[in-house]
Amino acid sequence: MPLINKMRTRIALPENSLTRLRIALTVFFALDGFVFAGWVVRIPAIKEQTGASASALGLALLGVSAGAVITMMLTGRLCRRYGTHRVTVVCAVLLSLSVALPPLTHSAAALGAVLLVFGAAYGSINVAFNSAAVDLVGALRRPIMPSFHAAFSLGGMLGAGLGGLVAGSLSPTRHLLGLTLIGLLVTAAAGRTLLRIQPPAPVRDTPHPKAAPRPPGTPTRTRTRGLVVTFGLIALCTAYGEGALADWSALHLEHDLDATPGVAAVGYSCFALAMTIGRLTGTKLLERLGQTRTLVGGGTTAALGMLLGALAPAVWAALLGFMITGLGLANLFPVAVERAGRLAGPDGVAIASTLGYGGMLLGPPAIGFMADWFSLPVALTSVAVLAGTAAVIAAVTRRAAAG
């Protein structure tokens, strides 16, 4: 009960404090994308430095995912105990420090160990600032969650672009150490604002009273957890597509459609750009359509776009399909995480994020196995199947979720 009493004593924040809080959280979302993308573009150089084989590198890279998944649920509990703002700042410091560790390793085993630390910081900050954003969305009474994820996408594009520019002139050690310094400076500036502002009082949803009747004695908490898992499955379906396109879009364009390597590399860029645009316009879309229709429409759009991207006989049509897919998937993950957080607080965000991250892990290897069994174009249609599944889940649960 002490936690509930604490929540009740919170007063409504003035509008200028909410605005400053929104800016600070946006900065942390962008910083997360910037740092992560900066690490990703230096993976080839780190592979050469450690002398790791392709398989050994793949196992080492699983450290990022393992660290994230292991700590996400723990972070939900830490947020409830210490507050989302404090946890966000601490995790941002850890993320900034840990990104400098990979260039210091000289074996695949050591690389995997430090990536566990990096992944833990990455997963934890995602739970913390998404939980803080959920409370801010409730306080503002506006569906602004996609704007935060747009900041993450823009930060990622900036981090990747900067990494590409300095790759030829800076060693991985100096580049990633530079990211550490940038991260600490940004955290000091934005974190000061975040720590000075009291988190707004959480706004929690409950299952819709007109939802399908449940057996007598079934606790409301069980039904709420079921809805949280449902939104987590929508996040999984979305992240599956993101992971699959990141790893397989270029190969599909080059091997199946005879695109040049340069053109093939544009495939994922088209998808990422379209997703960023979709998130930048996501608030207006949600205000006009509502959450359920946004989820259903987005999943359906992504399914149709991916069918075109996977089965089109021409490069231009496949690129168009990737862009349509990006527009469709853009707002599914932000909405799913927000709804999970509104239902169960930081624990809900942690559950949905863990399932979503699981989808990103599942996508690339699943596509690979299906490509061996059938063909890569057929394998990529699984992205369309899961996007359509997300739309169906959203439609079927619309009454229970009160969306």
Side-chain angles (χ1 to χ4, degrees), residues 9-328:
T9 60
R10 291 182 183 172
I11 59 175
L13 295 177
E15 187 173 345
N16 64 333
S17 293
L18 292 176
T19 300
R20 288 188 291 118
L21 178 55
R22 181 178 181 180
I23 292 172
L25 285 175
T26 300
V27 169
F28 277 111
F29 272 84
L31 176 65
D32 187 42
F34 178 80
V35 171
F36 189 79
W39 142 249
V40 167
V41 299
R42 300 316 298 257
I43 289 177
I46 300 295
K47 177 181 182 297
E48 183 177 349
Q49 176 181 306
T50 58
S53 64
S55 58
L57 178 66
L59 289 174
L61 292 176
L62 282 177
V64 178
S65 307
V69 170
I70 290 170
T71 56
M72 277 178 169
M73 295 305 299
L74 173 63
T75 305
R77 299 188 185 96
L78 293 176
C79 286
R80 284 192 286 109
R81 181 167 183 176
Y82 298 106
T84 56
H85 292 185
R86 290 181 182 177
V87 177
T88 296
V89 173
V90 171
C91 290
V93 172
L94 294 176
L95 182 73
S96 300
L97 293 174
S98 61
V99 76
L101 297 177
L104 305 180
T105 61
H106 297 283
S107 68
L111 178 62
V114 301
L115 289 181
L116 271 172
V117 179
F118 179 68
Y122 178 72
S124 296
I125 194 173
N126 273 270
V127 171
F129 60 39
N130 271 296
S131 299
V134 167
D135 291 340
L136 179 58
V137 169
L140 290 173
R141 299 177 183 270
R142 289 193 66 210
I144 61 168
M145 197 68 169
S147 69
F148 293 119
H149 288 259
F152 173 86
S153 298
L154 289 171
M157 294 172 69
L158 179 61
L162 178 63
L165 288 175
V166 304
S169 57
L170 289 181
S171 66
T173 301
R174 291 185 177 182
H175 175 204
L176 297 186
L177 182 60
L179 294 186
T180 293
L181 296 176
I182 293 172
L184 292 176
L185 289 173
V186 171
T187 299
R192 182 177 302 179
T193 299
L194 202 61
L195 294 176
R196 285 179 175 177
I197 300 176
Q198 185 181 21
V203 178
R204 297 289 177 252
D205 292 342
T206 56
H208 197 281
K210 293 184 180 181
R214 65 185 188 278
T218 301
T220 301
R221 183 176 179 181
T222 301
R223 297 181 62 240
T224 299
R225 189 176 183 86
L227 282 174
V228 168
V229 172
T230 297
F231 286 112
L233 291 176
I234 293 176
L236 184 152
C237 292
T238 305
Y240 177 97
E242 291 186 54
L245 281 165
D247 284 16
W248 293 101
S249 58
L251 191 66
H252 169 57
L253 292 172
E254 188 172 347
H255 287 192
D256 298 320
L257 300 178
D258 297 323
T260 64
V263 172
V266 172
Y268 182 71
S269 298
C270 289
F271 170 79
L273 179 61
M275 178 169 277
T276 302
I277 293 172
R279 287 175 171 173
L280 288 172
T281 59
T283 296
K284 291 188 179 297
L285 186 68
L286 285 164
E287 289 176 334
R288 176 168 295 186
L289 299 180
Q291 291 181 332
T292 296
R293 282 189 287 179
T294 298
L295 289 173
V296 174
T300 303
T301 299
L304 295 174
M306 199 59 223
L307 286 176
L308 176 62
L311 304 178
V315 172
W316 68 268
L319 293 176
L320 177 62
F322 291 163
M323 294 188 70
I324 294 172
T325 304
L327 289 172

